[in-house]
Amino acid sequence: MSAVQDYEAVKTAVKTAASAHGEPQWFVDRRLAAIDAMQDLPLPEMKRYDFHRWPLMDNMTLTFRDSDKHLADHLPKADNQIRFVQVGQTTVAVNLPDELAAQGVILTDIFSAFREHSDLTKKYFMEKVTKYNENKLTAYQQAFLNSGIFLYVPKGVVIKQPIEAFLIQDSTVKQAMVSHVLIIAEEDSQLSFIQHLTTEGDVANAAHCMVEVMSGANSHVHFSSVDELGEQTYSFLHRRANLSRNARFDWAIGIVNDQNTLGDITSELIGEGSHSESKVIAVTTGKQSNGINNRVVNRGKHTTANISQRGVLLEKSELVFNGIGDIIHGASGANAEQENRVLMMSNQAHGDANPILLIDEDDVIAGHAASVGQVDQNQLYYLMSRGIDKKLAQRLVIRGFLGAVLDEIPLPEVRQEMIDMIERKLEDGQHFE
């Protein structure tokens, strides 16, 4: 897209495809504005990490096609669960209890939301939480969006049962997955949202998966994601939440994709007294490389933000954790703590844990802990001296290392799913040193 002629051709093709898809004019205009912006925007910044040659934007086309719904047949049955299932661009199932719909809860695909709830989506989609012109990848997200979810929880509504969203990348065909989850939790609302990212098929594709959450005053939102994208999928995972006064927001993210991943997780604590917990686990194998920014921005007074992330590296893989605590001037009484730890199970792996504190206020508390190291041979020797073989002993050490984060995840179903996910990752063709 270096030539002007190519750029104009892309805009024309996107406008034609979006209009044929029945999208409202305001969103078609936003797509075109994003393509304009892409020309001069930089890639996002990732300290001590290079991803510039990844094929994240190779697909500059906008197409819509139906996927085979049977690609979701492997999912567990759900009789009474609140559930959303999407294969590629095809919504397979939406299960929202009538009593919640009667209270004004909306759970639908993102394009239906654009058409049927323009008042909400036009106001919030890449306007309040993430701006489309932040960098080249956020602009790409708006320009080539082709799937996603919209969830709206009105003021005072408490959803006790977790909402599960299964987003299955259809890699039986050549097409980037450009998915967007937009959640609006109004004042005094409560919910738990569990996202599952997986891949079906082995065609090489990029995945751009973005999450935007608006947390109203006194709301409590717990967002979990279990990321298991395929070995042919280079992924950009952007997740951000804005917290209003006395809001509580929790991240619990497990990243065990089989290909390179660029992750960006941010909590913006805008309202006074807001609180965020950000827990991340990552496991890398083979030659894959993961770079993850986990950022908290304390803007309001007396805000509290904690980061806790742990990573395990096997074989020749690479993992970089950047923990970023940013206390803005005026955020007096803020508290920002972080812990970043990396365990290397191979002497050919490369890991970094980088704590970054940016403090522009005096009356605050801020701290960090970081470590990068090899597996403790004394722990292995102790376990093996009790008759446990080396492979199992290493897995027990890994489980113990990750347990410090896993044990803090409040939802037992999420905690167990992450444990199962880690076990699958460790069992799937890895070779311990």
Side-chain angles (χ1 to χ4, degrees):
M1 266 185 35
S2 57
V4 173
Q5 185 178 359
D6 291 340
Y7 156 69
E8 291 298 334
V10 169
K11 287 182 67 175
T12 299
V14 166
K15 182 177 180 179
T16 300
S19 298
H21 191 230
E23 298 173 12
Q25 188 59 46
W26 67 264
F27 187 64
V28 177
D29 292 341
R30 288 192 185 182
R31 286 190 186 274
L32 301 182
I35 296 173
D36 284 337
M38 283 182 65
Q39 309 311 302
D40 300 316
L41 288 170
L43 287 166
E45 182 180 1
M46 176 71 70
K47 296 289 187 182
R48 302 185 184 181
Y49 192 74
D50 185 13
F51 60 93
H52 291 73
R53 295 187 179 183
W54 294 9
L56 290 173
M57 296 183 295
D58 281 2
N59 191 337
M60 288 286 185
T61 60
L62 179 65
T63 55
F64 294 95
R65 56 165 61 91
D66 292 332
S67 292
D68 183 358
K69 294 183 178 181
H70 292 295
L71 292 175
D73 286 350
H74 65 284
L75 298 180
K77 300 298 181 183
D79 296 325
N80 300 312
Q81 291 180 324
I82 307 173
R83 173 181 280 202
F84 184 99
V85 180
Q86 195 168 71
V87 178
Q89 301 159 351
T90 302
T91 300
V92 176
V94 181
N95 183 17
L96 180 69
D98 292 339
E99 58 269 25
L100 290 178
Q103 295 179 67
V105 176
I106 302 169
L107 179 62
T108 187
D109 72 275
I110 195 73
F111 291 108
S112 293
F114 289 160
R115 291 187 289 266
E116 300 168 13
H117 306 285
S118 285
D119 55 332
L120 288 170
T121 52
K122 187 177 181 179
K123 178 180 179 181
Y124 288 107
F125 181 87
M126 299 196 78
E127 288 288 316
K128 302 289 187 180
V129 181
T130 296
K131 300 295 182 64
Y132 78 92
N133 57 358
E134 288 185 10
N135 58 64
K136 196 177 290 290
L137 296 184
T138 55
Y140 181 94
Q141 168 80 195
Q142 179 163 290
F144 298 99
L145 178 74
N146 58 26
S147 58
I149 305 172
F150 175 66
L151 172 64
Y152 174 74
V153 183
K155 179 180 178 180
V157 174
V158 176
I159 303 178
K160 296 181 179 179
Q161 188 178 5
I163 302 164
E164 287 200 273
F166 295 86
L167 302 182
I168 302 173
Q169 179 189 30
D170 183 359
S171 280
T172 64
V173 295
K174 182 65 177 177
Q175 180 170 273
M177 177 186 188
V178 189
S179 175
H180 200 104
V181 176
L182 176 59
I183 299 175
I184 303 171
E186 296 282 16
E187 182 178 350
D188 294 317
S189 63
Q190 294 183 31
L191 69 108
S192 294
F193 190 94
I194 306 172
Q195 176 182 258
H196 310 258
L197 295 179
T198 57
T199 301
E200 291 292 328
D202 55 7
V203 176
N205 283 310
H208 291 244
C209 300
M210 183 175 288
V211 175
E212 291 187 287
V213 185
M214 282 292 301
S215 294
N218 300 301
S219 64
H220 189 172
V221 178
H222 189 285
F223 185 97
S224 304
S225 188
V226 181
D227 304 341
E228 293 185 275
L229 295 168
E231 63 182 356
Q232 298 297 325
T233 300
Y234 284 78
S235 58
F236 171 57
L237 308 178
H238 175 104
R239 290 149 174 159
R240 186 174 297 177
N242 281 11
L243 283 67
S244 302
R245 176 178 50 83
N246 292 326
R248 169 70 185 255
F249 190 93
D250 299 327
W251 298 104
I253 310 295
I255 303 174
V256 295
N257 301 319
D258 288 331
Q259 186 49 273
N260 294 358
T261 298
L262 180 67
D264 189 351
I265 304 162
T266 303
S267 299
E268 294 263 0
L269 293 90
I270 300 169
E272 182 174 354
S274 54
H275 185 134
S276 174
E277 297 285 334
S278 185
K279 300 176 177 63
V280 177
I281 286 174
V283 180
T284 58
T285 60
K287 295 181 180 180
Q288 72 176 127
S289 176
N290 285 6
I292 299 170
N293 275 349
N294 195 341
R295 178 188 294 107
V296 294
V297 184
N298 297 71
R299 298 188 183 276
K301 297 179 184 296
H302 306 291
T303 51
T304 300
N306 295 310
I307 294 173
S308 179
Q309 47 189 2
R310 296 206 172 197
V312 175
L313 295 82
L314 301 106
E315 301 173 272
K316 298 180 180 179
S317 62
E318 177 186 25
L319 173 62
V320 176
F321 274 150
N322 291 322
I324 306 167
D326 190 358
I327 300 179
I328 305 300
H329 181 70
S332 59
N335 187 340
E337 303 281 349
Q338 60 173 282
E339 182 179 359
N340 312 281
R341 301 198 184 277
V342 172
L343 176 64
M344 293 183 290
M345 301 297 295
S346 165
N347 57 17
Q348 296 179 296
H350 173 74
D352 277 326
N354 305 313
I356 301 169
L357 294 178
L358 307 171
I359 303 173
D360 193 21
E361 181 60 51
D362 295 329
D363 181 22
V364 299
I365 299 173
H368 65 82
S371 67
V372 177
Q374 298 278 348
V375 63
D376 189 331
Q377 295 299 321
N378 290 329
Q379 289 181 334
L380 285 179
Y381 176 78
Y382 176 82
L383 292 170
M384 293 172 65
S385 69
R386 266 55 181 176
I388 299 174
D389 65 70
K390 184 178 180 180
K391 184 175 180 179
L392 178 56
Q394 289 173 317
R395 287 171 61 183
L396 290 173
V397 170
I398 292 171
R399 282 284 302 275
F401 174 75
L402 298 178
V405 174
L406 287 169
D407 292 345
E408 294 179 9
I409 297 174
L411 293 177
E413 57 267 46
V414 174
R415 187 165 58 246
Q416 186 57 51
E417 184 165 6
M418 287 194 180
I419 292 172
D420 295 341
M421 175 186 68
I422 292 164
E423 287 298 315
R424 289 193 295 271
K425 180 76 170 180
L426 297 179
E427 290 174 0
D428 190 18
Q430 61 187 335
H431 303 286
F432 292 97
E433 288 291 316

